[in-house]
Amino acid sequence: MPGAIYAEALVKTFGDVRALDGVDLDVPEGTVLGLLGPNGAGKTTTVRVLTTLLRPDSGRAVVAGIDVLKHPNQVRHSIGLSGQFAAVDEYLTGRENLRMVGQLYQMSGRAARARADELLERFNLAEAADRTAKTYSGGMRRRLDLAAALVVRPPVMFMDEPTTGLDPRNRQALWDVIEELVAGGTTLLLTTQYLEEADRLAHDICVVDHGRVIARGTSDQLKARTGGERVEVVVHAREHITTAREVLTGLGRGETTVEEHTRKLTVPVQGGAKLLAEVIRELDLRGIEIDDIGLRRPTLDDVFISLTGHAAQLTGEGADGAGPPQAGGRGDALMEKEAAQ
């Protein structure tokens, strides 16, 4: 039995770019799927297909038990969507924006007003509720957009990098809202590049790259794929990075990664505390002064690096495989044309 969100062999191309190359997803009801991947991997294109904004070239998608291609209007009544960029009416107040969304979903005037007031409080916007949205900061607009996606309490939610641009306090508040929604039975597909966000919220994670799902599983299962513990070393002097890398590569069990700007080196190891002592001894013999050293378990960032070849980037993804969303861009124009059909 397919889950609340189901996709089978989705393919989408933009000219010569294959944005989706056979994506399969199955998200059980009342759970959160975290969709991770580097910029251009296909995350946003997947969300646009599942939310009826794009038609795939081939494949099948079912959301809330409704075929996305056959009955797109029915799907739209069953989902909430918060995209990468805030979509609010700048000339309406925050309160008017939320009431308008409720009325578009045919809520009664009283119910729309009550829900708007509730969400304004929940997203710390009550004091600015009667200001026009064009006077809001970027973070406030983001919160208003997220509130608008929750007006009708949809059974299935899609959030495309929802906390980008939020400060830590408001990010934490949104995480609390998401956990409450899921506890109440909402199904959520969440794309994110904040790996701690996926670690906390997602029941399962799919890693996508070049339009394909390259790994899936729980956070712990994915971490287990990258091996055991890691030794992290911060050297005092930048000129010692090369020698320290030789030491760690010789004692470790994989590639040593280097962050030049922080002078931090990381290598997978076996042997725990005993191996850590050996690393310290060898660095001391080489005359390498260190500012910090430690042993830790793999993180989702390690998973990301091992699967995609580089760390997650905290920047907007734009049009995924079709390139950044610049005015007049070829991929952007193609998507706008399809979405309008």
Side-chain angles (χ1 to χ4, degrees):
M1 187 74 177
I5 303 172
Y6 178 79
E8 181 180 348
L10 291 179
V11 173
K12 182 63 185 176
T13 59
F14 300 100
D16 297 330
V17 177
R18 200 170 179 86
L20 299 182
D21 192 13
V23 169
D24 296 321
L25 298 173
D26 193 356
V27 188
E29 185 176 344
T31 66
V32 180
L33 175 69
L35 204 59
L36 304 184
N39 291 344
K43 304 188 300 296
T44 296
T45 302
T46 300
V47 169
R48 286 173 172 166
V49 167
L50 293 171
T51 56
T52 77
L53 297 177
L54 281 176
R55 288 185 65 87
D57 299 331
S58 61
R60 177 170 174 252
V62 177
V63 173
I66 306 165
D67 190 294
V68 171
L69 298 181
K70 294 179 180 178
H71 306 290
N73 287 333
Q74 292 181 35
V75 171
R76 291 168 195 149
H77 282 281
S78 302
I79 64 173
L81 168 63
S82 176
Q84 284 188 15
F85 306 101
V88 298
D89 190 319
E90 293 188 343
Y91 295 96
L92 297 179
T93 67
R95 193 186 310 277
E96 288 168 343
N97 265 284
L98 297 185
R99 288 180 179 177
M100 177 184 68
V101 172
Q103 290 165 355
L104 288 172
Y105 276 95
Q106 300 180 341
M107 295 174 66
S108 69
R110 177 180 295 180
R113 289 193 295 272
R115 184 60 172 159
D117 292 345
E118 177 187 344
L119 289 168
L120 288 165
E121 287 287 348
R122 193 71 182 86
F123 284 87
N124 298 315
L125 290 170
E127 292 185 3
D130 296 312
R131 284 167 39 195
T132 57
K134 66 180 178 181
T135 68
Y136 285 14
S137 68
M140 292 170 70
R141 291 188 192 193
R142 189 66 177 137
R143 281 181 277 150
L144 182 60
D145 181 67
L146 291 164
L150 299 174
V151 166
V152 293
R153 296 184 176 90
V156 178
M157 277 289 303
F158 295 87
M159 292 187 174
D160 195 4
E161 300 189 15
T163 58
T164 298
L166 296 185
D167 60 47
R169 181 171 66 92
N170 284 308
R171 184 178 300 137
Q172 178 69 51
L174 178 60
W175 289 353
D176 293 341
V177 170
I178 289 173
E179 288 175 333
E180 290 173 11
L181 284 170
V182 176
T186 298
T187 304
L188 172 64
L189 189 149
L190 170 76
T191 80
T192 181
Q193 291 188 1
Y194 291 109
L195 299 180
E196 73 273 19
E197 187 164 87
D199 222 349
R200 169 168 168 172
L201 298 174
H203 297 89
D204 287 291
I205 293 170
C206 277
V207 182
V208 295
D209 200 14
H210 299 295
R212 297 180 180 180
V213 175
I214 60 174
R216 69 182 74 206
T218 66
S219 177
D220 287 340
Q221 287 170 342
L222 291 178
K223 290 174 185 177
R225 290 184 54 168
T226 66
E229 298 163 309
R230 266 64 178 157
V231 166
E232 286 187 347
V233 177
V234 178
V235 298
H236 182 72
R238 197 172 302 279
E239 57 265 28
H240 288 155
I241 288 177
T242 300
T243 306
R245 185 173 190 169
E246 292 174 359
V247 171
L248 293 180
T249 300
L251 296 174
R253 292 293 183 271
E255 181 182 355
T256 301
T257 59
V258 178
E259 296 178 13
E260 294 279 351
H261 63 292
T262 60
R263 307 183 308 283
K264 183 170 76 173
L265 301 91
T266 306
V267 67
V269 298
Q270 292 179 348
K274 183 178 179 180
L275 192 280
L276 183 62
E278 190 175 348
V279 170
I280 295 172
R281 184 166 53 250
E282 186 63 26
L283 291 172
D284 187 55
L285 288 173
R286 300 281 191 103
I288 300 173
E289 185 180 351
I290 60 175
D291 290 341
D292 194 16
I293 188 167
L295 191 69
R296 64 165 176 79
R297 293 185 61 219
T299 65
L300 277 181
D301 209 6
D302 297 319
V303 173
F304 211 96
I305 292 170
S306 68
L307 292 172
T308 68
H310 55 80
Q313 301 173 26
L314 302 181
T315 56
E317 184 171 338
D320 268 326
Q326 300 169 347
R330 180 165 176 261
D332 211 275
L334 280 166
M335 281 192 285
E336 289 177 4
K337 180 180 177 182
E338 282 222 33
Q341 291 177 345

